[in-house]
Amino acid sequence: MTVRRCAAALAAATAVLGGAAPAAFADGTPSPAAVPPGLYGTKDPQYDGVFRQSLAFLAQEKANVKPAEQAVTWLTGQQCADGSFMSFRADTTKACDATKLDTNATSAAVQALVAVGGHTDAVKKGITWLKSVQQDDGGWPYTPGMGGSDANSTGIVIGALAAAGEKPADVKSAKGGKSPFDALLTFALPCDDPAGAGAFAFQPDPKTQKLYANADATAAAVTGALGKGLTATAGQADTKGTACEKAATPEQAAHNGAAYLAKTLAPTGFLKSAMPGATDQPDFGNTADAVVALAADGMAQQAKASADWLSKNATAWAKDNGPAAYAQLVFAADATGADPKNFGGTNLIQSLNATGPAPQAAPSSAPAAESKEKKNDGISVWWIVGVCLVAGIGVGFLISGRKKNQQL
């Protein structure tokens, strides 16, 4: 998911600059930022602080783990006055930078605060802001005012709307009356496309308006088209196989996208990297997103096969990349019925908890031995482009997959 956010920024930068990276990051070394108390992870939070915190909370909720008050306070303190979130605010006493407001971070935070509970006002403010920046086509861009709507951002906003109790189909643009589902359908490739039948594009090519298949955008769009969020669970069995059908509804487009993912994953079990400059290697984060999308659509067989591949190969990647990576694996495990506390021999929940402040102790009447065991278990566009180029494929939206070249 961090790949998703990185590629989103890269795509936006490419659209504006015609393929050139911002000069501020020409040497590939973004300025570091200190990790504040209460935040999960040890890496520079400048580009993904809100997103990785949000994913951590969502993963903990799957295991009935309640995050520390300090961690929750950190996240709520990141919210801007208008209800939006930036990727990270180093100084929360200063007003938010309007050029760095982030639909992906806001959507992830909304979903996380719903999961934590008790933050109705913050959730309402976040949803109000998201509605205020909906574009005429019914979708959302990564950063409002910088580029057109994209499949990834639109998909994650749908998840936030659904988590907050909204009906995404009823959230329509002020001009044109388009819903998020209307926007997603415009990114769906037709069944007669020779290279990506049924897939979704990140955005139309800015010059030709042609759609190019993008596996990461497809994963985000499938869950979005089904009206589900980052922690989507298994849906009813999809009995249509991997045949592509003309998509007139979001559900049909979701099926086609899932079919594309299933066929793409079948030979190896994983998606390959498409980040700029990356070698041809597995993309663990996007594979985890694809597992959730497949499970949500009801393609359980391929979802489980790829989840099994992740359980054998992805835990070292998660250890290196921290809380959001662990969270993505938790989502994949949960969606396919696997045990996140024994995923390839790794207790993902325990490992995630260890990256931040100790969670609140859950009340329990269990015997002392069992209680002890449970306690042990507890044991942007320009500003994000630089870290994406540095991180390459090593990261798995965090934070809310975009590609520098939309044809990839």
Short mmCIF file of all heavy atoms in Angstrom, two decimals, residues 11 15 60 74 118 123 151 155 184 200 204 212 249 251 312 314 326-327 332 340 357 370:
data_model
loop_
_atom_site.label_atom_id
_atom_site.label_comp_id
_atom_site.label_asym_id
_atom_site.label_seq_id
_atom_site.Cartn_x
_atom_site.Cartn_y
_atom_site.Cartn_z
N ALA A 11 2.99 9.14 -10.33
CA ALA A 11 2.13 9.33 -11.50
C ALA A 11 1.72 10.79 -11.62
O ALA A 11 1.69 11.36 -12.71
CB ALA A 11 0.90 8.43 -11.40
N ALA A 15 2.69 13.34 -14.65
CA ALA A 15 1.69 14.02 -15.46
C ALA A 15 1.99 15.51 -15.56
O ALA A 15 1.77 16.14 -16.59
CB ALA A 15 0.30 13.81 -14.85
N GLN A 60 -4.84 -4.11 14.16
CA GLN A 60 -5.05 -4.47 15.56
C GLN A 60 -6.52 -4.77 15.83
O GLN A 60 -6.84 -5.68 16.61
CB GLN A 60 -4.55 -3.34 16.46
CG GLN A 60 -3.03 -3.23 16.49
CD GLN A 60 -2.56 -2.01 17.28
OE1 GLN A 60 -3.20 -0.97 17.27
NE2 GLN A 60 -1.43 -2.15 17.95
N TRP A 74 -2.09 10.74 19.01
CA TRP A 74 -1.20 11.22 17.95
C TRP A 74 -1.96 11.33 16.64
O TRP A 74 -1.85 12.33 15.92
CB TRP A 74 0.00 10.29 17.77
CG TRP A 74 0.93 10.80 16.71
CD1 TRP A 74 1.96 11.68 16.87
CD2 TRP A 74 0.86 10.53 15.30
NE1 TRP A 74 2.53 11.97 15.65
CE2 TRP A 74 1.88 11.28 14.68
CE3 TRP A 74 0.04 9.73 14.50
CZ2 TRP A 74 2.09 11.25 13.30
CZ3 TRP A 74 0.25 9.71 13.13
CH2 TRP A 74 1.27 10.46 12.54
N GLY A 118 -15.30 5.96 19.27
CA GLY A 118 -15.28 7.11 20.15
C GLY A 118 -14.82 8.41 19.54
O GLY A 118 -14.53 9.37 20.26
N VAL A 123 -14.44 11.73 12.62
CA VAL A 123 -14.86 10.96 11.44
C VAL A 123 -15.77 11.82 10.56
O VAL A 123 -15.60 11.88 9.33
CB VAL A 123 -15.58 9.66 11.87
CG1 VAL A 123 -16.26 9.00 10.67
CG2 VAL A 123 -14.57 8.70 12.51
N ALA A 151 -8.07 5.73 -9.89
CA ALA A 151 -8.78 4.56 -9.38
C ALA A 151 -8.40 4.26 -7.94
O ALA A 151 -9.26 3.87 -7.13
CB ALA A 151 -8.47 3.35 -10.27
N GLY A 155 -11.01 4.45 -4.88
CA GLY A 155 -11.30 3.21 -4.17
C GLY A 155 -11.17 3.34 -2.67
O GLY A 155 -12.03 2.88 -1.90
N LEU A 184 -15.18 4.99 -11.12
CA LEU A 184 -14.42 3.74 -11.24
C LEU A 184 -14.67 3.06 -12.59
O LEU A 184 -13.75 2.50 -13.20
CB LEU A 184 -14.78 2.79 -10.10
CG LEU A 184 -14.17 3.09 -8.73
CD1 LEU A 184 -14.58 2.01 -7.73
CD2 LEU A 184 -12.65 3.18 -8.80
N PHE A 200 -8.18 -2.53 -14.35
CA PHE A 200 -8.41 -1.10 -14.18
C PHE A 200 -7.11 -0.36 -14.44
O PHE A 200 -6.02 -0.88 -14.18
CB PHE A 200 -8.88 -0.77 -12.76
CG PHE A 200 -10.31 -1.14 -12.48
CD1 PHE A 200 -10.65 -2.44 -12.14
CD2 PHE A 200 -11.31 -0.19 -12.53
CE1 PHE A 200 -11.96 -2.79 -11.86
CE2 PHE A 200 -12.63 -0.52 -12.25
CZ PHE A 200 -12.96 -1.83 -11.92
N PRO A 204 -6.52 7.54 -17.09
CA PRO A 204 -6.27 7.55 -18.54
C PRO A 204 -4.93 8.22 -18.82
O PRO A 204 -4.51 9.12 -18.09
CB PRO A 204 -7.43 8.38 -19.10
CG PRO A 204 -8.48 8.34 -18.04
CD PRO A 204 -7.74 8.28 -16.74
N TYR A 212 -4.43 1.89 -19.58
CA TYR A 212 -3.42 0.83 -19.51
C TYR A 212 -3.60 0.06 -18.20
O TYR A 212 -3.73 0.66 -17.13
CB TYR A 212 -2.01 1.40 -19.58
CG TYR A 212 -1.70 2.03 -20.91
CD1 TYR A 212 -1.84 3.41 -21.11
CD2 TYR A 212 -1.29 1.25 -22.00
CE1 TYR A 212 -1.57 3.99 -22.33
CE2 TYR A 212 -1.02 1.83 -23.22
CZ TYR A 212 -1.16 3.19 -23.39
OH TYR A 212 -0.90 3.78 -24.62
N THR A 249 -22.11 -2.49 -14.49
CA THR A 249 -22.32 -2.19 -13.08
C THR A 249 -20.98 -2.29 -12.35
O THR A 249 -20.04 -2.94 -12.83
CB THR A 249 -23.30 -3.19 -12.44
OG1 THR A 249 -22.69 -4.49 -12.40
CG2 THR A 249 -24.60 -3.24 -13.23
N GLU A 251 -20.33 -4.04 -9.75
CA GLU A 251 -20.09 -5.44 -9.40
C GLU A 251 -19.50 -6.21 -10.58
O GLU A 251 -18.59 -7.04 -10.40
CB GLU A 251 -21.40 -6.10 -8.95
CG GLU A 251 -21.95 -5.57 -7.64
CD GLU A 251 -22.66 -4.22 -7.79
OE1 GLU A 251 -22.97 -3.83 -8.94
OE2 GLU A 251 -22.91 -3.57 -6.75
N LYS A 312 4.92 -17.73 3.13
CA LYS A 312 6.23 -18.37 3.00
C LYS A 312 7.34 -17.38 2.65
O LYS A 312 8.52 -17.68 2.88
CB LYS A 312 6.17 -19.45 1.92
CG LYS A 312 5.24 -20.62 2.22
CD LYS A 312 5.27 -21.62 1.07
CE LYS A 312 4.40 -22.84 1.36
NZ LYS A 312 2.95 -22.50 1.37
N ALA A 314 6.96 -13.45 2.69
CA ALA A 314 6.83 -12.00 2.90
C ALA A 314 7.16 -11.51 4.30
O ALA A 314 7.20 -10.30 4.54
CB ALA A 314 5.41 -11.56 2.55
N TYR A 326 3.23 -5.10 8.00
CA TYR A 326 2.61 -6.11 8.85
C TYR A 326 1.09 -6.05 8.71
O TYR A 326 0.40 -7.08 8.65
CB TYR A 326 3.00 -5.91 10.31
CG TYR A 326 4.37 -6.43 10.67
CD1 TYR A 326 5.34 -5.59 11.20
CD2 TYR A 326 4.69 -7.78 10.49
CE1 TYR A 326 6.60 -6.08 11.54
CE2 TYR A 326 5.95 -8.27 10.82
CZ TYR A 326 6.90 -7.41 11.35
OH TYR A 326 8.15 -7.89 11.68
N ALA A 327 0.56 -4.83 8.67
CA ALA A 327 -0.89 -4.68 8.56
C ALA A 327 -1.42 -5.26 7.26
O ALA A 327 -2.46 -5.94 7.25
CB ALA A 327 -1.27 -3.20 8.67
N ALA A 332 -4.50 -9.64 4.51
CA ALA A 332 -4.50 -10.77 3.58
C ALA A 332 -4.83 -12.06 4.31
O ALA A 332 -5.59 -12.91 3.82
CB ALA A 332 -3.16 -10.87 2.87
N PRO A 340 -3.48 -14.77 11.56
CA PRO A 340 -2.42 -13.75 11.56
C PRO A 340 -1.44 -13.91 12.71
O PRO A 340 -0.36 -13.31 12.70
CB PRO A 340 -3.20 -12.44 11.68
CG PRO A 340 -4.50 -12.80 12.27
CD PRO A 340 -4.81 -14.18 11.78
N PRO A 357 3.83 2.00 20.63
CA PRO A 357 3.56 1.93 22.07
C PRO A 357 2.70 0.73 22.41
O PRO A 357 1.82 0.34 21.63
CB PRO A 357 2.82 3.24 22.36
CG PRO A 357 2.27 3.68 21.04
CD PRO A 357 3.24 3.20 20.02
N GLU A 370 -3.14 -18.02 30.60
CA GLU A 370 -3.67 -17.54 29.33
C GLU A 370 -3.51 -16.04 29.22
O GLU A 370 -3.18 -15.51 28.17
CB GLU A 370 -5.14 -17.93 29.22
CG GLU A 370 -5.77 -17.52 27.88
CD GLU A 370 -7.21 -17.91 27.78
OE1 GLU A 370 -7.68 -18.68 28.64
OE2 GLU A 370 -7.88 -17.44 26.84
#
